[in-house]
Amino acid sequence: MADPPGPAGRDWLLVVAVVVTATIEAFSREQLVWPVASLGVTVGLACLLPWRRVRPLLVFALSFGTVSAVEALSILRDVQWEGLDTAAFLLVLPYALARWASVRDVGIGVLVMAVPLALSGVAGDPVGNIVGGGLVVLLSFAVGFAVRYAGELQAEEVAGLRSRERAELARELHDTVAHHVSAIAVQAQAGRVVAA
């Protein structure tokens, strides 16, 4: 598997887009529970996005751990916290985890993901919403795995092609050298015959 690319300019543009969108949503959406906290959580988690490829498990765990903590606090306070719709960007994190992390880290990520889903059940969210949300997250994992394995297959194909090219080049080189050595041997024998 190739090394993951580090933070790039497009990652910071994504962060800026999320911050602007979240700010607009937080101040324009009515009936939003904890608008300042929701904005703070969303902006804070968006700032982790540039490192989702180089530290996928850490970013995943921090993000969904934070969501779990806020959900737990809302349960303790008997408040129905929904967060911002802008936080849908979190769906790139399961993809990044499946794409760039080890299988062990993906397993840990699945366990981390189970916590907010369980808390949603404790909070009284409809089962359909919880199952649907879980399926969307699993779909994001699946797409990450598909892209990962497609990349690995392509790398293996390129490696196989290079190996075949090297073998062909070695055969051609062998044939050329063998031809020249044979010609030298014939000339040496002819030289002995002439000299005798």
Side-chain angles (χ1 to χ4, degrees):
M1 180 170 64
D3 289 335
R10 67 177 186 255
D11 295 318
W12 295 108
L13 287 175
L14 178 59
V15 171
V16 169
V18 169
V19 169
V20 168
T21 306
T23 304
I24 292 169
E25 181 184 359
F27 291 109
S28 64
R29 192 166 142 194
E30 294 183 26
Q31 307 289 328
L32 181 63
V33 174
W34 300 341
V36 175
S38 295
L39 178 61
V41 167
T42 303
V43 168
L45 297 180
C47 290
L48 297 174
L49 282 173
W51 290 276
R52 71 188 180 277
R53 291 181 295 269
V54 291
R55 298 276 186 249
L57 181 59
L58 178 63
V59 170
F60 187 90
L62 285 173
S63 297
F64 287 100
T66 301
V67 169
S68 297
V70 174
E71 184 71 34
L73 183 62
S74 71
I75 291 170
L76 291 174
R77 298 252 176 140
D78 198 27
V79 174
Q80 187 67 30
W81 179 72
E82 296 175 2
L84 298 177
D85 294 336
T86 308
F89 73 85
L90 291 173
L91 286 174
V92 302
L93 300 182
Y95 166 86
L97 186 64
R99 173 71 175 93
W100 298 109
S102 68
V103 175
R104 177 185 150 275
D105 286 353
V106 173
I108 293 169
V110 169
L111 293 175
V112 168
M113 189 66 237
V115 175
L117 290 175
L119 287 172
S120 293
V122 171
D125 290 353
V127 173
N129 289 355
I130 297 169
V131 171
L135 289 175
V136 169
V137 171
L138 288 176
L139 178 64
S140 182
F141 275 119
V143 171
F145 275 122
V147 171
R148 174 189 194 141
Y149 290 119
E152 288 176 0
L153 287 174
Q154 183 179 18
E156 288 176 12
E157 187 177 305
V158 168
L161 181 62
R162 287 181 180 159
S163 177
R164 287 190 297 274
E165 287 175 350
R166 280 193 295 272
E168 181 65 29
L169 185 61
R171 271 194 300 277
E172 289 177 12
L173 183 61
H174 176 267
D175 292 347
T176 302
V177 169
H179 174 72
H180 287 335
V181 168
S182 297
I184 292 170
V186 168
Q187 289 174 355
Q189 289 174 352
R192 279 191 211 144
V193 169
V194 171

